[in-house]
């Protein structure tokens, strides 16, 4: 099959800047470059993991591609169920509405993202009513079916969210997301707020839904062990940019970007026989309001040369399907989770 | 717990918690936050305390510090024995939490690093003033000497530009720097015990790795024992010598770290290890969730607290509460699979 036909979402040079206002007159004094030129594609029925440290722009990417924001610049091409390619960044909210059935989001916090005054039936069924897909008896049947598919007992559909555990609430959220039979789901830290013993329920569920329903997932999380478990490919972000994108195996075992290498080396393996040997990172993460010149990572990079402060590297295909944004990606010998350089 | 009856173990222990019960007496009922905790912190070693949200890790730590707010909280039963170098044993539960003896111990002998540094740093004072203040509380030093000690501590925790940071206010620091300040503050009086409650949970992994490195280095140079509370099994595997696994207010398993990861005995520990993804094991590991959910600790539990979720539950488990007992050398477990229930 042709690769391009497989692409459900293509993001080109996406930018999402938030203005900073100052003073009495609230003049614009600058901008937070939350997402600052991001390129990637998501293949149909894959899980693409998006990782990176707090504030690097993961959530903003997710929200921008679902048009919960109006992107500052760039293009987002979505291929509909009917096979039509549409550039969505300039669509009106009305034009977006039919697409919203196909592209949906799962939120991080299963406690605050569900309306406490609504029953589970109302929560899961609401999108069906808004989009005029089903109501009454048909809606109830669909809700029961959805509850079963996420492992909840449909007999509980008249209960309220507080009567459920964290993992169950997250599954209610997922059932709601699934109600309109979406094709692309952006899951923003869907298990971060959950206890470890219930995280596995939700991860296994997402995995199964992907397999059974042919879903495509953009899976955002800061826990790389979790992302590894579920993702086919992983993109690493740093200060508003993607610095590396590759298959999960290549990215973790043979990273090619110095930041990805440092990030991976910092993860404590849950095994006392493997000793953590982290690659030290000097300094702090720069502010997205005032990013460094050249390569955004150069002030902290142990390989930085003069060119790194001067010229911005771009995401390039260094090995087949392995994209890296570093001037020296072809030369560096880096260490992955195997531990050998 | 059995091991404390063995004389060699007693000399090794610096802190021993015996059958500790801490409760909160609320209008809607009694919260059994800590419901019979037994554990031993050994001299110069790191004890990892793991368990899921609400299992009583923080309340155990706060009970040791005697910082449980009363009312509504109260230590209703048990001992917390501090073994001093000179051989004197002090049961902290017997001390007045606001009295001079406990105040002298808190900070100087036992210090604590809290999960959220902003709640324990005063926003109105500079970092230097706060460390100096805490030093002067326990040592006879003048202001200048105390500030010098503060600076020395900032060097020790490897904060960048320590001289400038001495005059910085907490909000001017990043999360990682604040946590370093907290550690500097905690270690400023050379405590023999450091309790770190989720010291890295709010931090990014690269910053977490720095803080963990720092804690390890400090332990080599100062003479402290660390009680490290976390829900992160990765952090535990890297930091701990011994591990106590908590469930619903009780310690269900206590073992040396390698033993715990390679030969877990308690069904809850086994469940916990089976349910988390491990880096580098993609495709090799199927995640097995633990059925059910953690109940809220308001009702009195008969039998084993894990029984309602346990895949290996037996009739006796609902009847009798298993005690933490030795199942292998240095390995303690509270489970009827490893002991004979009373007939
Ligand atoms: N609506 C907004 N207005 C202004 N700034 C914003 C807005 N949303 C995000 N930001 C800023 O943009 C940057 C990226 O934020 P974002 O939430 O996308 O990061 P993230 O990678 O999801 O972080 P985390 O892991 O903490 O969730 C941050 O500096 C953040 O403060
Ligand atoms: N001040 C309080 N009043 C009433 N109940 C409390 C109070 N503090 C804690 N609890 C309860 O005591 C139990 C143990 O709480 P604790 O804070 O020790 O949990 P923890 O293991 O530290 O959890 P976490 O991982 O979420 O920090 C919980 O059920 C909690 O709700
Ligand atoms: S471009 Fe330069 S500074 Fe950036 S990661 Fe590569 S070597 Fe380091
Ligand atoms: Mg986010
Ligand atoms: Mg806690």
């Amino acid at each position: 099959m042709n690769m391009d036909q497989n692409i459900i979402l293509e993001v080109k040079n996406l930018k999402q800047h938030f203005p900073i206002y100052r003073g009495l007159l609230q003049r614009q004094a600058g901008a937070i470059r939350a997402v600052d030129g991001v390129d990637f594609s998501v293949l149909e029925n894959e899980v693409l993991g998006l990782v990176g440290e707090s504030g690097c722009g993961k959530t903003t990417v997710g929200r921008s591609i679902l048009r919960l924001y109006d992107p500052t610049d760039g293009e987002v091409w979505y291929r509909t169920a009917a096979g039509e390619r549409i550039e969505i960044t300039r669509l009106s909210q009305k034009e977006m509405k039919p697409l919203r059935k196909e592209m949906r989001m799962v939120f991080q916090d299963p406690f605050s993202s569900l309306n406490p005054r609504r029953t589970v039936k109302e929560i899961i069924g609401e999108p069906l009513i808004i989009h005029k897909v089903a109501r009454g008896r048909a809606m109830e049947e669909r809700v029961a079916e959805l509850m079963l598919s996420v492992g909840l007992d449909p007999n509980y559909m008249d209960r309220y969210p507080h009567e459920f555990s964290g993992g169950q609430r997250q599954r209610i959220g997922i059932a709601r997301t699934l109600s309109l039979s979406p094709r692309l789901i952006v899951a923003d830290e869907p298990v971060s707020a959950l206890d470890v013993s219930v995280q596995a329920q939700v991860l296994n569920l997402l995995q199964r839904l992907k397999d059974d329903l042919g879903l495509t997932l953009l899976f955002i999380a800061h826990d790389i062990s979790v992302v590894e478990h579920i993702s086919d490919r992983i993109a690493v972000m740093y200060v508003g940019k993607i610095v590396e994108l590759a298959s999960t195996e290549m990215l973790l075992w043979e990273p090619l970007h110095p930041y990805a290498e440092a990030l991976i080396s910092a993860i404590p393996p849950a095994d006392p026989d493997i000793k953590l040997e982290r690659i030290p990172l000097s300094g702090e993460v720069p502010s997205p309001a005032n990013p460094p010149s050249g390569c955004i990572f150069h002030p902290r990079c142990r390989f930085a040369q003069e060119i790194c402060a001067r010229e911005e590297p771009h995401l390039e295909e260094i090995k087949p399907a392995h994209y890296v944004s570093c001037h020296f990606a072809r030369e560096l010998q880096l260490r992955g989770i195997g531990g050998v350089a | 717990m059995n091991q404390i009856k063995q004389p060699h173990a007693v000399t090794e222990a610096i802190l021993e918690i015996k059958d500790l019960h801490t409760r909160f007496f609320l209008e809607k009922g009694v919260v059994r936050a800590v419901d019979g905790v037994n554990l031993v912190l050994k001299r110069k070693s790191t004890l990892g305390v793991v368990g899921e949200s609400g299992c009583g890790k923080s309340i155990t730590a706060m009970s040791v510090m005697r910082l449980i707010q009363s009312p509504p909280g109260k230590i209703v039963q048990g001992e917390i024995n501090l073994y001093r170098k000179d051989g004197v044993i002090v049961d902290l539960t017997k001390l007045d939490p606001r009295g001079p003896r406990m105040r002298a111990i808190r900070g100087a002998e036992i210090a604590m690093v809290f999960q959220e540094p902003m709640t324990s740093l005063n926003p109105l004072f500079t970092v230097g003033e706060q460390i100096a203040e805490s030093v002067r509380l326990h040592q006879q030093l003048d202001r200048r000497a105390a500030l010098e000690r503060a600076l020395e501590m900032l060097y020790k925790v490897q904060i960048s530009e320590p001289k400038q940071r001495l005059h910085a206010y907490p909000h001017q620091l990043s999360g990682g720097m604040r946590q370093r300040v907290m550690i500097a503050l905690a270690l400023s009086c050379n405590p023999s015990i450091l309790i770190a409650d989720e010291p890295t949970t709010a931090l990014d992994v690269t910053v977490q790795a720095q803080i963990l490195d720092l804690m390890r280095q400090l332990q080599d140079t100062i003479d402290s024992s660390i009680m490290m509370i976390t829900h992160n099994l990765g952090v535990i595997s890297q930091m701990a010598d011994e591990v106590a696994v908590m469930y619903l207010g009780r310690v269900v398993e206590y073992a040396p770290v390698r033993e715990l990861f390679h030969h877990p005995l308690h069904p809850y520990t086994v469940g916990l290890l089976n349910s988390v993804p491990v880096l580098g094991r993609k495709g090799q590991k199927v995640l097995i969730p633990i059925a059910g959910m953690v109940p809220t600790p308001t009702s009195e539990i008969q039998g084993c607290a894990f029984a309602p979720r346990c895949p290996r539950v037996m009739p006796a488990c609902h009847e009798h509460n298993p005690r933490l007992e030795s199942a292998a050398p240095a390995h303690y477990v509270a489970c009827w699979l490893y002991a004979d229930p009373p007939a």
Side-chain angles (χ1 to χ4, degrees):
Chain A
M1 201 190 295
N2 182 328
M3 185 80 159
D4 287 355
Q5 277 182 349
N6 244 335
I7 293 176
I8 184 165
L9 188 81
E10 191 175 3
V11 177
K12 291 182 178 170
N13 193 30
L14 181 70
K15 292 186 181 173
Q16 188 73 58
H17 295 179
F18 297 107
I20 304 170
Y21 300 103
R22 282 232 180 82
L24 274 180
L25 297 174
Q26 290 289 298
R27 286 222 177 81
Q28 189 176 335
I32 297 167
R33 299 157 172 262
V35 174
D36 203 23
V38 153
D39 297 275
F40 64 93
S41 300
V42 188
L43 308 181
E44 182 124 38
N45 196 213
E46 80 165 335
V47 179
L48 176 64
L50 191 56
V51 300
E53 295 180 273
S54 186
C56 71
K58 304 180 294 296
T59 296
T60 308
V61 164
R63 298 182 69 97
S64 302
I65 62 180
L66 294 189
R67 280 297 305 283
L68 299 174
Y69 294 134
D70 291 329
T72 311
D73 198 3
E75 295 170 10
V76 175
W77 291 88
Y78 173 72
R79 192 165 48 75
T80 65
E84 194 186 352
R85 276 183 96 237
I86 305 178
E87 203 288 299
I88 64 169
T89 60
R90 304 284 172 261
L91 297 186
S92 67
Q93 287 303 331
K94 198 172 152 228
E95 290 167 314
M96 267 309 288
K97 194 171 173 195
L99 296 180
R100 292 207 183 282
K101 281 193 242 174
E102 300 191 13
M103 310 165 77
R104 302 200 67 84
M105 189 136 177
V106 175
F107 294 95
Q108 167 169 0
D109 190 348
F111 302 93
S112 63
S113 60
L114 303 178
N115 186 335
R117 279 180 298 276
R118 301 231 164 164
T119 62
V120 169
K121 178 170 72 188
E122 289 166 336
I123 290 169
I124 298 175
E126 186 185 53
L128 296 169
I129 292 172
I130 293 178
H131 286 272
K132 301 196 173 67
V133 174
R135 56 198 179 93
R137 192 87 201 106
M139 186 264 267
E140 240 168 65
E141 270 165 27
R142 178 80 180 124
V143 168
E145 192 182 300
L146 286 161
M147 286 180 79
L148 278 176
S149 76
V150 298
L152 293 169
D153 184 341
N155 289 319
Y156 293 163
M157 73 167 70
D158 292 317
R159 298 199 180 184
Y160 293 87
H162 73 259
E163 298 174 69
F164 293 86
S165 72
Q168 289 170 326
R169 276 183 256 193
Q170 195 55 296
R171 285 184 274 159
I172 295 170
I174 291 169
R176 177 183 157 96
T177 302
L178 292 176
S179 60
L180 296 167
S181 310
R183 298 171 63 230
L184 173 70
I185 291 182
V186 174
D188 189 5
E189 308 268 8
V191 298
S192 310
L194 302 178
D195 264 327
V196 280
S197 75
V198 288
Q199 268 191 14
Q201 291 173 11
V202 174
L203 288 174
N204 288 350
L205 170 66
L206 288 172
Q207 182 76 51
R208 183 167 60 75
L209 293 172
K210 176 213 155 187
D211 295 342
D212 294 355
L213 306 177
L215 292 177
T216 305
L217 259 90
L218 180 63
F219 187 95
I220 299 172
H222 64 268
D223 184 336
I224 297 178
S225 311
V226 165
V227 173
E228 180 202 21
H229 181 80
I230 196 156
S231 304
D232 300 301
R233 294 191 302 150
I234 296 179
V236 179
M237 280 189 81
Y238 184 73
V239 199
K241 295 185 200 292
I242 289 178
V243 295
E244 183 161 358
L245 195 168
S247 71
T248 298
E249 283 74 14
M250 289 302 278
L251 195 126
L252 293 176
W253 293 84
E254 295 173 38
L256 295 176
H257 193 283
Y259 173 68
E261 179 194 39
L263 185 65
I264 292 163
S265 81
I267 307 161
D271 183 343
D273 289 345
I274 306 172
K275 279 298 158 224
L276 187 63
E277 266 182 63
R278 96 185 150 88
I279 292 161
L281 266 185
S282 57
E284 310 261 330
V285 180
S287 156
N290 188 17
S293 63
C295 169
I296 36 159
F297 189 54
H298 88 263
R300 309 181 73 192
C301 180
R302 61 192 182 122
F303 303 107
Q305 303 281 326
E306 181 261 337
I307 184 183
C308 303
R310 195 163 26 87
E311 265 176 51
E312 185 184 339
H314 294 284
L315 204 60
E316 276 182 63
E317 189 167 4
I318 302 291
K319 287 183 184 171
H322 194 146
Y323 300 84
V324 190
S325 169
C326 166
H327 292 302
F328 300 102
R330 287 186 178 79
E331 296 148 46
L332 298 176
Q333 290 293 312
L334 305 182
R335 211 176 76 189
I337 43 180
V340 277
Chain B
M1 186 151 115
N2 289 354
Q3 84 193 63
I4 50 174
K5 291 185 196 128
Q6 299 159 9
H8 75 276
V10 173
T11 51
E12 264 185 46
I14 186 161
L15 187 79
E16 170 204 19
I17 301 180
K18 268 169 119 171
D19 201 30
L20 182 71
H21 289 70
T22 304
R23 295 189 181 153
F24 292 93
F25 297 87
L26 309 177
E27 266 174 38
K28 57 170 188 178
V30 179
V31 180
R32 292 158 204 274
V34 174
D35 199 30
V37 158
N38 291 288
L39 54 80
V40 168
L41 174 60
K42 293 185 184 165
R43 216 168 271 286
K44 290 217 73 172
S45 85
T46 299
L47 169 69
V49 179
V50 266
E52 295 176 271
S53 189
C55 71
K57 304 182 295 294
S58 297
I59 299 303
T60 301
M62 303 286 269
S63 301
V64 173
M65 295 297 284
R66 297 303 314 275
L67 289 173
I68 298 292
Q69 210 188 59
S70 171
K74 191 165 193 281
I75 294 177
V76 293
Q77 194 181 320
E79 295 170 21
I80 302 172
N81 293 319
L82 174 64
Y83 289 75
R84 290 220 170 101
K85 273 216 184 88
D86 56 13
V88 176
I89 304 169
V90 188
D91 180 355
L92 303 180
T93 64
K94 301 286 184 303
L95 303 184
D96 171 7
R98 292 201 188 80
R101 289 189 69 199
M102 195 59 224
R103 284 219 309 268
I105 289 172
R106 200 186 293 131
E109 284 187 74
I110 310 177
M112 183 156 168
V113 174
F114 297 87
Q115 172 167 0
E116 185 32 74
M118 273 323 250
T119 56
S120 35
L121 289 173
N122 189 328
L124 301 178
F125 292 93
T126 66
V127 160
E129 286 164 344
Q130 296 189 49
I131 301 175
E133 178 62 31
S134 130
V135 171
R136 265 153 60 91
L137 208 61
H138 298 288
Q139 292 169 18
Q140 301 293 328
L141 288 179
D142 63 22
R143 233 184 78 85
R144 272 214 28 214
L147 267 175
E148 257 161 47
R149 173 84 183 132
L151 182 62
E152 188 192 320
M153 287 314 298
L154 291 186
Y155 272 105
K156 245 198 186 132
V157 297
Q158 297 156 23
I159 249 179
S160 59
E161 302 170 347
K163 284 203 177 108
Q164 281 95 303
R165 304 287 184 227
L166 199 61
H167 305 293
Y169 290 89
H171 73 265
Q172 297 170 315
L173 305 176
S174 69
M177 277 196 269
R178 274 183 216 141
Q179 206 51 286
R180 280 172 199 268
V181 169
M182 282 300 301
I183 293 172
L185 192 64
L187 295 180
S188 59
C189 296
N190 290 322
S192 42
I193 297 173
L194 175 67
I195 301 178
D197 189 1
E198 310 263 9
T200 60
T201 303
L203 305 174
D204 276 319
V205 276
T206 60
V207 185
Q208 166 174 286
Q210 290 169 6
I211 299 287
L212 296 182
D213 268 6
L214 173 70
M215 291 184 65
R216 257 191 301 249
Q217 287 168 24
L218 289 173
Q219 195 177 23
D220 290 343
T221 60
I222 60 176
D223 187 24
S224 321
S225 313
I226 300 179
M227 181 166 153
M228 176 99 180
I229 296 173
T230 174
H231 62 267
N232 186 322
L233 290 166
V235 169
I236 286 286
S237 81
Q238 296 298 306
M239 295 297 289
D241 301 305
E242 276 86 35
V243 184
V245 180
M246 286 189 68
Y247 186 76
L248 220 57
R250 298 172 187 171
V251 172
V252 297
E253 187 160 5
Y254 175 96
V257 66
R258 297 193 57 229
E259 175 80 7
L260 189 103
F261 276 83
H262 297 317
H263 308 287
L265 294 179
H266 198 282
Y268 176 64
T269 313
V270 172
L272 215 51
L273 290 169
N274 281 339
S275 64
V276 292
V278 176
L279 193 69
R281 308 254 168 92
K282 184 180 175 66
Q284 299 162 31
K285 187 170 176 182
V286 179
L287 303 188
I288 307 165
I290 301 176
M293 61 197 217
V294 185
T296 39
T298 41
S299 51
E300 187 162 4
I301 298 160
Q302 226 211 321
C304 169
F306 191 57
R309 301 175 75 189
C310 183
R312 301 181 65 185
V313 65
M314 303 168 290
C317 307
H318 297 292
E319 302 285 321
H320 310 284
N321 183 6
R323 286 160 37 97
L324 194 63
E325 283 182 74
S326 173
H331 196 150
Y332 298 80
V333 62
C335 171
W336 290 126
L337 289 168
Y338 308 96
D340 292 323

